[in-house]
Each structure stands twice: as C-alpha cells, then as structure tokens.
Amino acid sequence: MAAEEKLVAKIMERLLATTSMEQKEEPSVDKKISSLTEFVGTAPVGDTIGLVIANVDAHLAEAMQLKKNYRSLGIVGARSGAGPQITAADEAVKATNTEIVSVELPRDTKGGGGHGVLIIFGGEDVSDVRRAVEVTLKETERTFGDVYNNEAGHVELQYSARASYALAEAFGAEVGKAYGLMAAAPAAIGVVMADTAVKAANVEVISYASPNHGQKYSNEVTIHIKGDSGAVRQAVIAAREVGKDLLNTLGSEPINDFPSYI
C-alpha cells in the first residue's frame, strides 16, 4: 500500500509540475508600437487606434471646420464598433478637460453590417487630449463587452447611466440622463429588438436608424433611448436577450469577446 501511495504521489507531483510549466510558457502577444510622437496606442479590438496632434495646422483646422480654435487634437479611429468607442469617449470627456469636436460613422466593419468610427477631441493642452485618447482606448475593451457576434451578424448594446457630450454629439443623447443603444445586423433582428426595448420599460425613443435612414445603407437597425437609469438598463437587457436568441438561429451561438458590463 505504501508503494502505491508513493507512486500516486510521484504521478501527482509530475502533473502539477507539468501544469505549472504550461502556465509559465504561455506565449505572450507583443503589442506593436510606433515611435511617432503622434501615436498614443491601440485597443485590442475593433482595429482601434489613438493619436494626437499637439499643434494643429491653422489651415487644416479651418478646412476641418472646427467649432473653435483648438490648439491640440486627440483622434480615435476604428474599422468596427463605433458604439463601443463612442461610449468609451463619453467617459473620457467626463474625466478630462477636453471637448468633442466631431464624431463620424463611416460605413465599414470590414464589409460587415455596421460602421467604423472617427472621433476627434479638442483641447488647449496636448496632455489633456492625450489623456482623453488614453481613457477611450482603455474603456473600449469594457464597452465591447456587450457586442455579440457569430458568422451571420452581430448584436450590440450600450448603456450609460449619465450620458455626456460624446453620446450627445453622436446619437443625440441628453447630457446627464441615462442612455441606451441597441443595434443588430441583419437589420430585421434590430427591428424586433427595438420593439422589445420600448415595450420592456418606460423609456423615450431618441431616434431610430435603418439601412436607408441613418445607417448609410448598412444592413443594420439601431435604436437610441433615454429615461431613468433603471428603465433604460431594463430595456437594453430585454433587447439583448431577444437579439441574441434570434441571431443564434442563423449560425453558432453569438459570443462576446469581453465580459458584459450592462
């Protein structure tokens, strides 16, 4: 019996050693960086890059039709997402001495249903706009937590208990009031999600966007809502469950790459 116990002990020791070695030898992915002073960083999702211009050229600023004469600009651009980056930028505006210059949503998602995004911050000090970009890049990982994808399309949800100027600029959110976004591709799923949301709680519709009206012909429907924080969150959650269930009928189970935050 003693010999058997020693044998088991040796086997367990080897297993533990192997497991420990495997954990230590996990490969790490090197994050690419640029030596350019304009480069701030990237986010690990959406092909999202953050940049700054310390002293914007006066002629360029005029051509860009900026709201005011900002000395420094912070720039966040992405191939896919839009909603997550804008919600992240909303947190950045709250945390820094910057303003939202513009938010644009090009038709993109690398050919899928949805958009990319171009967000520009303005400020007098380059350190302020740099910080705004850094916060946006960091928050983007969190705000991608309620984007669910499969081979057929996606379901996206965003929620803010207190919207600020980025969400106001991009989607017409009321500053200081709770805000929710629900979107889906194919667009048909988005229509049902929108109906589910407004029936689930006492919320007010800010706007509704469909392929021919507000989506640049992308195969997506988006609804924006406002109201009390609890009601908006309830509406978003109800739409999420319906959207995931319907998207699941077209392919594999829709999954999110980061933890849900709603």
Side-chain angles (χ1 to χ4, degrees):
M1 180 63 93
E4 290 180 0
E5 289 177 354
K6 287 182 180 179
L7 179 60
V8 171
K10 285 184 179 180
I11 292 173
M12 291 301 298
E13 186 179 342
R14 288 178 183 175
L15 285 172
L16 289 171
T18 302
T19 302
S20 177
M21 188 178 297
E22 288 175 352
Q23 290 175 345
K24 289 179 182 178
E25 292 178 355
E26 284 183 356
S28 60
V29 178
D30 291 332
K31 194 171 185 180
K32 293 184 178 179
I33 61 172
S34 169
S35 60
L36 296 175
T37 57
E38 292 87 352
F39 179 77
V40 176
T42 60
V45 66
D47 296 309
T48 307
I49 189 169
L51 308 165
V52 295
I53 298 177
N55 294 287
V56 63
D57 180 84
H59 295 96
L60 175 62
E62 183 179 355
M64 292 174 70
Q65 299 180 344
L66 303 182
K67 296 175 183 176
K68 24 191 289 200
N69 293 324
Y70 300 100
R71 181 185 176 194
S72 302
L73 299 179
I75 308 157
V76 174
R79 293 297 310 276
S80 59
Q85 289 91 346
I86 294 167
T87 305
D90 206 60
E91 296 301 315
V93 172
K94 296 174 190 175
T96 60
N97 185 28
T98 58
E99 298 179 10
I100 291 292
V101 174
S102 64
V103 180
E104 299 179 60
L105 280 74
R107 182 180 174 185
D108 199 336
T109 317
K110 295 185 174 181
H115 305 88
V117 71
L118 172 63
I119 305 168
I120 299 181
F121 298 91
E124 292 307 309
D125 194 317
V126 66
S127 64
D128 289 331
V129 296
R130 175 177 286 273
R131 178 59 182 157
V133 171
E134 289 172 345
V135 172
T136 302
L137 294 175
K138 182 179 178 182
E139 285 289 308
T140 292
E141 185 173 326
R142 178 183 68 88
T143 53
F144 256 95
D146 280 283
V147 178
Y148 300 83
N149 296 279
N150 70 5
E151 59 272 27
H154 68 265
V155 168
E156 178 190 337
L157 304 305
Q158 298 296 331
Y159 167 76
S160 174
R162 183 174 61 87
S164 191
Y165 295 101
L167 291 171
E169 175 73 23
F171 302 131
E174 185 176 335
V175 175
K177 204 169 186 69
Y179 162 83
L181 174 155
M182 291 133 286
I189 295 175
V191 178
V192 176
M193 286 174 61
D195 182 68
T196 299
V198 297
K199 287 177 178 176
N202 184 22
V203 295
E204 183 179 344
V205 176
I206 299 171
S207 63
Y208 171 91
S210 61
N212 278 4
H213 304 281
Q215 293 288 20
K216 300 178 177 63
Y217 303 104
S218 177
N219 189 3
E220 187 179 39
V221 154
T222 305
I223 185 173
H224 308 275
I225 62 173
K226 65 180 180 179
D228 292 336
S229 59
V232 172
R233 186 170 183 272
Q234 180 181 339
V236 170
I237 290 173
R240 178 179 66 190
E241 299 313 306
V242 168
K244 288 171 59 181
D245 183 84
L246 294 175
L247 186 59
N248 189 42
T249 66
L250 297 175
S252 57
E253 180 180 357
I255 59 170
N256 52 340
D257 293 325
F258 302 95
S260 168
Y261 78 94
I262 299 174

